Amino acid sequence: MNKVIIKFTVPLSPITKKNSQRIVIINGKPCILPSSKFTEYEQAALWYIPKRGIPIDFPVNVKCVFYMPTNRSCDLTNHLESIDDVMVKAGLLKDDNYKILASHDGSRVLVDKKNPRTEVEITRIPTERRKEIE
């Protein structure tokens, strides 16, 4: 069995980064930024990410269960991208590339109208030798 490293909850209604992006002009060039709603979510969510000292830099599985306030259709992968980026910004994960964030096994979306949140469980996974396919 893989060892659980960290479990935590972000007690905020999950917000995706990709919905309602903004195009702004910076130094005369158009840039795409996340919505102001996501920026607010990110700043608030940073308070709930555990401080570890040294960022995780080894292969882990990050299981995220998103509890939404409504039964509206949503995109799991967009929610995963958002919480991954928050964990990197908080310094919990060194990066969200495949060498560190190796899987999201067990992640899903559920509904809890009274208590929307994101529950995260990070487990270390064994390092496997990767064979290149020729």
Side-chain angles (χ1 to χ4, degrees), residues 17-29:
K17 194 172 183 178
K18 287 189 174 181
N19 291 349
S20 305
Q21 292 177 327
R22 303 175 283 166
I23 298 175
V24 297
I25 305 299
I26 299 175
N27 295 328
K29 295 181 181 182

Side-chain angles (χ1 to χ4, degrees), residues 122-134:
I122 301 176
T123 55
R124 186 175 198 137
I125 58 175
T127 305
E128 299 173 359
R129 290 187 175 256
R130 289 179 165 73
K131 288 186 175 180
E132 289 189 31
I133 299 174
E134 296 179 21

Side-chain angles (χ1 to χ4, degrees), residues 17 38 42 55-60 62 77-89 91-104:
K17 194 172 183 178
F38 174 77
E42 179 182 55
I56 294 169
D57 64 354
F58 47 84
V60 293
V62 178
T77 57
N78 287 349
H79 283 293
L80 291 169
E81 179 184 1
S82 295
I83 195 69
D84 293 348
D85 288 348
V86 172
M87 288 187 289
V88 170
K89 186 168 188 170
L92 180 59
L93 299 175
K94 184 175 181 180
D95 197 353
D96 56 359
N97 68 51
Y98 77 95
K99 293 179 182 178
I100 298 170
L101 204 165
S103 65
H104 276 118

